[in-house]
Amino acid sequence: MTDAELLAAYRDGDEDAFAVIVTRHKAPLFSFILGMVQDEGAAADIFQETFLRVIKNISRYEERGMFRAWLFSTARNLAMDHFRREGRGTISLDAPVDEEESGATMADSIAAPAAHGPEPSLEAKEDREMVLRAIAKLPAEMREVLLMREYSGMSFKEIAAALDIPIGTALARMSRAVARLRKDLCTPQNTKRS
Amino acid sequence: MHTAKHEEELILYSYGELEGDELKAFEAHLASCPDCSGKLATLRAAGTALKDAQVNPPRWIVENVEREAAGKFRFTFKYVFRTLTPVAAAVAMAALLILPQGEPQQAAQTAHWNDVSDTALTELHTQLETARYDIEYGTDYVTEFEIKAAGVEGRIPAQNKESKS
């Protein structure tokens, strides 16, 4: 069933339909949020609040085949609210975490078993951790486009609509993100030893 | 020559969003542009790293969300009680109060509460609030009857009227 069909079923009283929606979107959505806020505790809160808002507004949602956009833009706005409360726009993996929270970040997920495929080599893990650290250092507005494209599966046209920006702006932010990543990953301390 | 347009096209190309003549033109450019080639490799490395880093949220968070989604229906009372609850007992008792003396009842008969005494309504209200509290705070009780706003309407098991005590 499509998201639209599941939402319609849920509105008609089928609780299981909503569980299917959650199962379908939970990993990419949580990963997007975690990539934005870089804190598992905050990401869990934002994930829950995102779906609570969906539940609360389900009767007012008009299906235009854009549920994913609605879901991810809601999460993105909550992440931005989180940044404003925290008073920061960029997150570093080296930033101190709340001692009461697990503080797991996206780079920590590299230590956990991969969702797909065989266990990567140690060198591959280090390379990926290096890339994730570089992504975490990107300004939020650059990082959100990259993360949203990778995790939501939306096109850049859809992302631009969800973020309420011109597609040229979305592509420009992505382009600057790539340039920064390349510069960061190609610095002497990050280049592989031959 | 590398231009700003190539920067945008690189992004679209890397995600398969470039088509037709634009795709062909960019592929020709890519073959001779080390800047674009380097950035494409960086973008693909980022995509791989992010894909491998995809994780599920904690299980308890998912359960919270699912519980909240189920709880959306608590005030329409479309759930089913797993055990006999005070609410079901109150509904049955209130139904007995309005049924004619000695009249046999049909199975799953709808009861209309317009003539129910104030005492019975008050008790019913109390029992319903108790059930609502239980539902809201995590017990597994659910109910089978629909509650209308003003009167009370519900499906109850067939009951023969018993003498009032």
Side-chain angles (χ1 to χ4, degrees):
Chain A
M1 292 174 77
T2 64
D3 286 341
E5 290 166 342
L6 289 167
L7 288 174
Y10 175 64
R11 276 195 290 262
D12 289 341
D14 182 357
E15 297 162 24
D16 292 340
F18 199 85
V20 174
I21 286 179
V22 174
T23 300
R24 179 177 293 177
H25 295 286
K26 64 181 181 181
L29 181 68
F30 184 76
S31 301
F32 166 73
I33 298 168
L34 184 59
M36 288 297 294
V37 300
Q38 293 293 312
D39 179 87
E40 188 173 1
D45 290 342
I46 292 172
F47 177 90
Q48 180 172 260
E49 181 60 27
T50 299
F51 274 108
L52 293 185
R53 292 196 180 191
V54 167
I55 292 166
K56 183 182 174 184
N57 295 305
I58 195 74
S59 59
R60 284 183 276 169
Y61 174 69
E62 293 179 11
E63 180 56 45
R64 300 189 197 106
M66 296 293 288
F67 175 73
R68 264 184 317 169
W70 181 35
L71 193 66
F72 277 80
S73 62
T74 299
R76 177 260 181 191
N77 291 338
L78 288 168
M80 290 302 166
D81 290 344
H82 169 79
F83 288 146
R84 278 189 282 274
R85 283 195 301 273
E86 296 285 316
R88 53 187 176 163
T90 59
I91 309 296
S92 167
L93 286 176
D94 296 324
V97 295
D98 189 335
E99 290 180 359
E100 294 182 24
E101 300 286 353
S102 65
T105 64
M106 177 158 270
D108 293 334
S109 70
I110 292 293
H116 309 283
E119 187 71 12
S121 65
L122 182 60
E123 186 179 4
K125 280 187 183 178
E126 290 174 347
D127 289 344
R128 287 171 197 171
E129 187 171 333
M130 190 171 66
V131 172
L132 291 175
R133 286 183 184 276
I135 291 171
K137 291 195 292 184
L138 291 172
E141 69 172 21
M142 291 185 197
R143 193 163 73 248
E144 70 178 350
V145 180
L146 172 62
L147 293 173
M148 199 172 278
R149 185 61 185 86
E150 286 293 339
Y151 286 128
S152 75
M154 292 191 286
S155 67
F156 283 104
K157 184 179 176 183
E158 291 170 325
I159 289 172
L163 297 179
D164 196 24
I165 57 176
I167 186 172
T169 301
L171 292 172
R173 289 180 185 177
M174 190 73 177
S175 182
R176 288 197 291 272
V178 175
R180 279 212 185 194
L181 286 175
R182 189 175 178 212
K183 182 181 175 185
D184 196 2
L185 293 171
C186 292
T187 54
Q189 63 266 28
N190 285 334
T191 50
K192 291 182 186 180
R193 277 169 274 177
S194 59
Chain B
M1 189 174 89
H2 186 84
T3 66
K5 184 170 181 288
H6 290 128
E7 294 283 330
E8 288 191 3
E9 289 177 342
L10 168 68
I11 304 300
L12 293 169
Y13 172 80
S14 69
Y15 289 99
E17 294 186 34
L18 211 56
E19 295 175 335
D21 292 340
E22 282 187 331
L23 173 61
K24 288 178 186 172
F26 181 77
E27 283 178 331
H29 166 78
L30 184 64
S32 59
C33 179
D35 191 29
C36 281
S37 297
K39 286 177 178 175
L40 183 61
T42 298
L43 200 45
R44 285 178 172 164
T48 299
L50 288 172
K51 180 183 172 186
D52 289 342
Q54 181 164 292
V55 291
N56 281 311
R59 179 64 201 157
W60 64 271
I61 280 288
V62 176
E63 290 173 351
N64 280 355
V65 169
E66 290 173 350
R67 191 159 39 238
E68 187 65 27
K72 180 182 184 295
F73 297 104
R74 62 181 181 268
F75 293 111
T76 64
F77 289 98
K78 286 188 178 179
Y79 303 99
V80 178
F81 273 117
R82 291 185 188 176
T83 60
L84 185 63
T85 71
V87 174
V91 169
M93 186 179 72
L96 289 173
L97 290 172
I98 66 163
L99 293 173
Q101 186 95 29
E103 181 179 333
Q105 300 305 307
Q106 303 295 322
Q109 195 173 50
T110 300
H112 295 277
W113 304 97
N114 292 334
D115 297 327
V116 175
S117 69
D118 287 343
T119 303
L121 275 177
T122 300
E123 184 167 351
L124 177 61
H125 175 77
T126 302
Q127 299 298 338
L128 287 171
E129 278 299 306
T130 302
R132 184 186 68 79
Y133 182 92
D134 287 342
I135 291 169
E136 184 170 350
Y137 290 95
T139 61
D140 291 333
Y141 299 135
V142 286
T143 132
E144 192 175 15
F145 53 91
E146 283 193 347
I147 299 295
K148 303 289 184 175
V152 177
E153 206 169 359
R155 296 185 183 276
I156 55 173
Q159 293 283 343
N160 288 323
K161 183 150 189 255
E162 297 174 3
S163 58
K164 294 181 189 179
S165 58

